[in-house]
Amino acid sequence: MSNPPDGTRGARARARAEVTAAIKDEARRQLAAEGAAKLSLRAVARELGMASSALYRYFPSRDDLLTALIIDAYNSLGESAEAAEAAVAEAGPAHRWTAVCEAARAWALAHPHEYALIYGSPVPGYSAPQTTVPAAARVGLLLIDIVRDAHRGLGVAKPPLPAELRAEAERMTADLAPDLPPEVVTALVAAWAQLYGLIGFELFGQFNRVVEDREPFFRLAVARLAHGVGLVYPQQGRTD
Amino acid sequence: MSNPPDGTRGARARARAEVTAAIKDEARRQLAAEGAAKLSLRAVARELGMASSALYRYFPSRDDLLTALIIDAYNSLGESAEAAEAAVAEAGPAHRWTAVCEAARAWALAHPHEYALIYGSPVPGYSAPQTTVPAAARVGLLLIDIVRDAHRGLGVAKPPLPAELRAEAERMTADLAPDLPPEVVTALVAAWAQLYGLIGFELFGQFNRVVEDREPFFRLAVARLAHGVGLVYPQQGRTD
DNA sequence: CGCATTGCGAGAGCAGTGCTCTCGCTTGAT
DNA sequence: ATCAAGCGAGAGCACTGCTCTCGCAATGCG
């Protein structure tokens, strides 16, 4: 029969996809248990009951395995954030902003080693290939959308933009969100980076013995970030 | 002779200190060249013309070598920041704040792998020992000092503090800067984390194809951080 | 249906790693 | 002058990523 009975053409390809997934699953297990640097191809193969050399049929090198895990991690984080945003889609922009930020933090706390993989120091000497870009952009695009919605014909007070940054700010605006004012776009990109500073410091132990009750601290910082991009909290009261 | 002829007691100890320094120097070279994960004890020993086993007389394990490098890196960064601050000690707080932040960024760009060592993902499975704490705190203490000076009997407008954060904010304040209002201390700690978010994103490639002209962008973001902790820029004009 | 092709798993092997242990030499203090 | 401590070197263990070759099995073509 020349027609494949299942979705992927050929049972061969199907098996291949399954083994590939099994390898990534086991690798993710080891990643979560020991961290990226202790992820060992041989240990993965051992756990899967196959020869280490067989693994190279699926991933040409350890770095390629890591790249696959990185893309998956970006997508997992992106999905979490998108789901959290969708759950409060009807609420105001400030609420949606907070939901996305808190989803990112929650995902990071739940998958610390995967977070370290994508937002910590890039793994040893290795620089992420272009393939990761679309997955990596998901959270950022979400934040842009939210701010865009908030600014739709609203005309928020814009902080002044230094002359030296004018050109670059307009270039960034054209690339990212042509319908937003450059003042907001720069603030947005900065807030995006700062969000991961907050998450990283908590995750990597910089807040140890400094900030103990992290959740309300994070909430306040995120609210201030929101304020910086022109979102206003309607009511700061208790939400429980 | 029971009196040591040189500063450190015994010529033996002197030699030991020199070898220790040589090892760290070579290790730092490899760190800068290839990154932390490719730092190899054997390669260091090879380069120094000694047996790999001899190296263990100086550092009981690879992690201990890394810890030493981490402390040195924190101190190097701290010194850079302190020097930059001292150079503009007479200027206003906002200027001093900017000087510290820009010194941190410049140091990070000049020593990317060392920066990754201390502010990137903590190296594989390894968690920094308590020894690193004083060195790690230097930049943070600098920022606190600056804000403290700015607030000395000034009474800046404070953003409101949510009730859920009140207790924690007061605890942090007692630990870090009892003479500052809790509203400012929380903003300060957040700004501290966010600063490293900005630096990390630039260093680790997240800004590639997003922010191209990084310096003015960083300057603006840092100015806004300063604003958030109550520092006011006297004059935002061109400074060249 | 038969056959050539292709994909795949296994094993051996290479170069490299962190780390340990034991052996002597050299140096320093007594 | 003696003795102990510090130190360097070498061999060796268990592990890593990666390569190459071999033989089996499934696949798709005529």
Side-chain angles (χ1 to χ4, degrees), chain B residues 150-198:
Chain B
H151 281 258
R152 213 179 283 290
L154 198 60
V156 184
K158 311 156 197 160
L161 207 55
E164 59 170 359
L165 190 57
R166 181 102 251 162
E168 171 69 3
E170 278 164 6
R171 205 200 46 72
M172 288 167 53
T173 303
D175 276 8
L176 299 174
D179 50 344
L180 285 176
E183 292 85 356
V184 172
V185 173
T186 56
L188 183 47
V189 172
W192 173 57
Q194 289 167 1
L195 166 64
Y196 290 101
L198 290 167

Side-chain angles (χ1 to χ4, degrees), chain B residues 33-165:
Chain B
E34 298 276 12
K38 290 202 177 170
L39 195 168
S40 149
L41 285 193
R42 293 181 108 111
V44 170
R46 209 179 302 134
E47 211 67 25
L48 261 51
M50 60 200 292
S52 66
S53 55
L55 223 144
Y56 286 83
R57 300 275 177 198
Y58 299 88
F59 296 94
S61 82
R62 185 179 179 276
D63 277 1
D64 289 270
L65 214 198
L66 277 178
T67 301
L69 294 181
I70 285 175
I71 295 178
D72 286 1
Y74 272 127
N75 279 322
S76 168
L77 166 61
E79 276 171 36
S80 278
E82 285 164 14
E85 198 271 344
V88 297
E90 302 306 316
H95 249 87
R96 292 163 64 203
W97 173 278
T98 307
V100 169
C101 293
E102 290 188 343
R105 171 173 176 266
W107 187 92
L109 292 178
H111 312 84
H113 283 114
E114 290 184 68
Y115 182 89
L117 200 58
I118 58 183
Y119 285 115
S121 9
V123 180
Y126 147 104
S127 89
Q130 210 67 6
T131 348
T132 64
V133 170
R138 289 174 69 166
V139 173
L141 293 180
L142 252 188
L143 294 178
I144 291 178
D145 279 350
I146 295 172
V147 173
R148 196 201 321 275
D149 286 356
H151 281 258
R152 213 179 283 290
L154 198 60
V156 184
K158 311 156 197 160
L161 207 55
E164 59 170 359
L165 190 57

Side-chain angles (χ1 to χ4, degrees), chain A residues 194, chain B residues 97 101 190-191 194-195 198 220-230:
Chain A
Q194 290 167 1
Chain B
W97 173 278
C101 293
Q194 289 167 1
L195 166 64
L198 290 167
L220 176 61
V222 157
R224 285 181 180 165
L225 285 181
H227 190 81
V229 295

